Amino acid sequence: MLKDVYKEYGEYFYVPMTQGYSVAVPVSLGCSWDKCLYCDLNQGNKFKFFGLEEIENRLNILRKFYSNRRRPVEKVVMAGGNPLCLDTGILIDIIHLIREYFPQVKNISSFARADDILRKSKDELLELKNLGLGQLSVGVESGNDEILAYHNKGISREDNYRALAKLEELSIDYSTYIMLGLGGKRLSKENAIDTASLLSMVNPQVIIVVTMVVFKNAKLVERIRKGEFERLSVLDTIREERLLLENLHMKNTIFNGTHKTNALILKGKLPEQKELLLDKIDKALKKYDQRSLRNREINRWRNWSLE
Ligand code: SF4
C-alpha cells in the first residue's frame, strides 16, 4: 500500500534522523541545489514539487494506512531534500492539507538548507511555526568556508550561522547535520575546530554527526581518482570526531553520533556527558587498529563506496 506513496524516492529514502517515528508525507523529490560534490542522495532525480493535488492523493492513502493505529498521527515530516525552499504560500497550503488529513498533528518537520531559511522573512517563518512547523533538520556539514566552497555547498559559514541564529530568535527547534571527513586529510583539523566553533555559537537541540561516504555517482569520485582529495582513514575520522567534541562548548544539546555511516556509535548530552563521550572515543582508539576498522567499513559500505 505504501509503496505507491514513496515510489519516486528510489533505493534510499531519507528522512531526518530525528524524525524516524514521523509519518513521511511526500512533498518534493530531490534537492533544489543538487550541486554538492560529495552528494548522490538525489540519485539523479532533479528537484520536483509534487503539487497539491498529488500530495492530497498520497495523504489520502496515508490516512487510510494509519487509521487503524491506536495512537493518532502527531508527527509528520515533509519528505524531500529541502521542501523548505518552496514558497511560503505553498508551504502553508501543504500544512493545511496535512492538518486536514491528520488533525491531531503537533509537529511538522523538514530538511532545510540555510539559504531556504534566510530567504524567508521572520514573519513568514513565524507563520509557519504557528501552523506547526518545527524541528527543522539543517545540513550545516562544516563550519569551515574552504571546505564548504570546495564541495560546492553554496552556503558559507556565515550563512549557516545567520540561518541558525534566525531560527533561535524565533524559537524554532532545529537539529544540525555535520559531516566528519568532509575536509579530507588536508583539512581534517580545520573541519573539526571550525565546525565546533560554529556550533558553539548557537544552540541546536541535536547535533547529528555523520561520516562522509563516497557515493559511486558523486562528483567527488573524480577528484579522489585524480588524487586531488584524499579521504580520511577510519581511525583519523574518529580522531577528527574527538577533536570536534573536545572543542564543542554547548549549553544544552544532544550529541548524536549513532548514524550508520559512523564507525563509532556515540550519543550523549552536552555539556554533561562530554567527558564520558571523550573517554569512549579514547578507549575505541586504543582498541581498534586501522585494519579491523577498515574491514568493517568496507563490508558496511560495499554497495555504495569506492572500495
Ligand atoms: S548534500 Fe544536501 S544540499 Fe547538497 S546536493 Fe545533496 S541534498 Fe542537496
Side-chain angles (χ1 to χ4, degrees), residues 161-227:
Y161 171 70
R162 285 194 301 122
L164 303 184
K166 193 171 179 182
L167 294 181
E168 286 184 15
E169 190 189 334
L170 303 173
S171 301
I172 298 176
D173 290 338
Y174 68 92
S175 55
T176 55
Y177 272 77
I178 58 138
M179 200 175 278
L180 300 173
L182 200 61
K185 279 191 187 161
R186 191 171 69 82
L187 294 173
S188 172
K189 200 170 156 199
E190 287 78 359
N191 193 33
I193 290 176
D194 294 347
T195 305
S197 73
L198 172 67
L199 293 174
S200 301
M201 288 160 69
V202 288
N203 195 25
Q205 272 190 319
V206 187
I207 296 171
I208 297 167
V209 182
V210 303
T211 300
M212 191 186 75
V213 171
V214 184
F215 291 93
K216 278 179 190 151
N217 296 319
K219 297 177 195 89
L220 185 62
V221 170
E222 204 39 48
R223 311 272 182 115
I224 293 172
R225 289 209 172 112
K226 281 196 286 186

Side-chain angles (χ1 to χ4, degrees), residues 30-42 81-82 111-113 115 139 141 151-153 155 179 219:
C31 137
S32 62
W33 177 249
D34 201 20
K35 291 180 188 146
C36 300
L37 279 193
Y38 57 88
C39 176
D40 186 35
L41 296 179
N42 303 313
N82 61 329
F111 275 127
R113 281 172 52 90
D115 51 0
E141 324 301 5
H151 286 282
N152 206 13
K153 184 76 190 168
I155 283 169
M179 200 175 278
K219 297 177 195 89

Side-chain angles (χ1 to χ4, degrees), residues 1 62-73:
M1 188 179 189
L62 288 167
R63 178 168 63 185
K64 279 187 199 135
F65 184 82
Y66 288 101
S67 61
N68 297 331
R69 302 283 159 105
R70 249 186 299 151
R71 291 174 64 110
V73 170

Side-chain angles (χ1 to χ4, degrees), residues 81-93:
N82 61 329
L84 210 73
C85 70
L86 296 170
D87 281 349
T88 304
I90 291 176
L91 286 170
I92 290 172
D93 288 344

Side-chain angles (χ1 to χ4, degrees), residues 293-303 305 307:
L293 274 173
R294 193 168 162 78
N295 287 342
R296 256 176 57 185
E297 287 307 284
I298 289 172
N299 285 336
R300 189 183 328 184
W301 294 108
R302 180 157 288 161
N303 296 327
S305 69
E307 282 93 350

